[in-house]
Amino acid sequence: MIGCAAALRGPMNQIKAFRHEVNNQNWHRVKVKTLAVLRFGGSLLVRSGAEEQESVTNEMPSKRAKSFIARIHEASSSYRQDAKATLNEAKESAKNRVSRWQKKIQGGGAGIPPSFSWRQCMWSFIGVMITHTILSRINLLIQTESDGDLSLILAPLGALTTLQYNLTAAPASQPRNAIFAQIFALTTAILLSYIPNVEPWFRSALAPAIVIPGMAKLGIIHPPAGAAAIVFSSGKFRWEHFGIFLSGVAISIITAVGINNMSDKRQYPTSWYFLNKAKGKLSE
């Protein structure tokens, strides 16, 4: 029995070793197959994920491009519509302006102003004659004493006397407008002559272009001041001529006040602005 057990021990150990080796080989095969499956399947998953991501990334710019192009089309269509509407409005506005202009140049329904009576014409003749006789004599005296260097500019004063004796009640004829408008006009014209490299012909256009709307803004409209601005913008006159001319304006106002009020149908001025304002302050 002992001999049989000893004899069987060797084959039994060999059988155990063989089984153990077979198990190890099987486990190794399973391990290799598992690793192969994991590696192969992972690469497929990664590749499929990359392809999906690539497709998504490719689709996004296309969608963005499509949306951008759609916005451009919408903007261009709206712009075309707005441009057409604006063009139509401009055409209609131009037509309306042209039609209004055509109606205006045909004139309104106002009649011509009434003519003066012979008596009123005689008063104008007397006033203008006396005033310009005084002014012309003063001009001659100034030229004689200054050896022709100074003079009294008479042309704008002719426009002033036209207002004083033919439009006595007009706001432009009143002493306030006459004095302040002439000061503004002469100052502007003389200052423009100090600007270098400005041609006289351009100054003669620039001076009234500044003075005339400036008088309107200041509320001192006086047509003779526009004429004075043109004359004094030539650059031939100095500040001495400024003072002499204002003296001529003052003389014209004094004579107009004295002569116009001799007529029963005339009154000049319609208001002494500064005197009335001073009286109002004193009465307060």
Side-chain angles (χ1 to χ4, degrees), residues 38-50:
L38 290 176
R39 288 179 182 178
F40 183 71
S43 62
L44 289 176
L45 291 174
V46 171
R47 184 176 297 176
S48 63

Side-chain angles (χ1 to χ4, degrees), residues 20-283:
H20 181 70
E21 185 178 357
V22 170
N23 291 331
N24 289 333
Q25 290 177 358
N26 292 334
W27 173 249
H28 181 70
R29 291 190 188 97
V30 171
K31 185 177 180 180
V32 170
K33 290 180 179 180
T34 303
L35 291 175
V37 170
L38 290 176
R39 288 179 182 178
F40 183 71
S43 62
L44 289 176
L45 291 174
V46 171
R47 184 176 297 176
S48 63
E51 289 177 354
E52 291 178 357
Q53 186 176 4
E54 185 178 359
S55 64
V56 171
T57 54
N58 290 331
E59 289 177 358
M60 289 297 291
S62 63
K63 289 182 180 179
R64 292 177 182 175
K66 290 180 180 178
S67 62
F68 180 71
I69 293 171
R71 290 177 183 176
I72 292 175
H73 284 299
E74 291 176 358
S76 62
S77 62
S78 62
Y79 175 76
R80 286 194 297 269
Q81 293 176 358
D82 294 340
K84 289 180 180 179
T86 305
L87 182 60
N88 292 330
E89 291 178 359
K91 288 181 180 179
E92 292 295 329
S93 177
K95 289 180 180 178
N96 293 332
R97 287 180 179 273
V98 171
S99 63
R100 287 197 300 268
W101 176 77
Q102 290 176 348
K103 291 180 181 179
K104 287 182 178 180
I105 62 176
Q106 293 175 1
I112 60 175
S115 60
F116 278 18
S117 63
W118 285 108
R119 182 182 295 274
Q120 293 302 318
C121 291
M122 184 58 65
W123 278 112
S124 296
F125 173 80
I126 293 170
V128 173
M129 185 67 183
I130 293 173
T131 303
H132 279 280
T133 300
I134 296 171
L135 294 174
S136 297
R137 186 63 183 176
I138 292 173
N139 181 37
L140 178 61
L141 179 62
I142 293 172
Q143 288 179 342
T144 303
E145 294 296 328
S146 64
D147 295 330
D149 189 30
L150 299 175
S151 63
L152 173 61
I153 310 302
L154 296 174
L157 297 176
L160 173 58
T161 53
T162 301
L163 292 175
Q164 289 174 332
Y165 294 100
N166 286 345
L167 297 171
T168 55
S173 307
Q174 304 310 308
R176 172 182 173 272
N177 289 39
I179 294 172
F180 286 103
Q182 292 291 0
I183 291 174
F184 173 63
L186 300 183
T187 303
T188 302
I190 294 175
L191 290 178
L192 287 176
S193 64
Y194 286 98
I195 300 176
N197 301 325
V198 179
E199 296 294 332
W201 65 267
F202 182 72
R203 284 201 304 268
S204 64
L206 181 61
I210 295 173
V211 170
I212 292 172
M215 290 189 295
K217 180 63 178 178
L218 296 173
I220 51 173
I221 295 176
H222 187 63
I230 296 175
V231 174
F232 277 81
S233 64
S234 63
K236 300 177 181 179
F237 304 102
R238 304 185 301 272
W239 294 106
E240 292 86 352
H241 295 89
F242 176 92
I244 294 171
F245 185 80
L246 286 183
S247 300
V249 173
I251 293 171
S252 298
I253 292 172
I254 292 171
T255 56
V257 170
I259 296 172
N260 278 319
N261 292 316
M262 292 180 183
S263 173
D264 295 336
K265 295 183 179 181
R266 295 184 180 218
Q267 183 181 4
Y268 183 81
T270 56
S271 174
W272 290 104
Y273 177 76
F274 291 106
L275 291 178
N276 294 336
K277 192 173 182 179
K279 289 180 181 179
K281 288 185 178 180
L282 291 175
S283 61

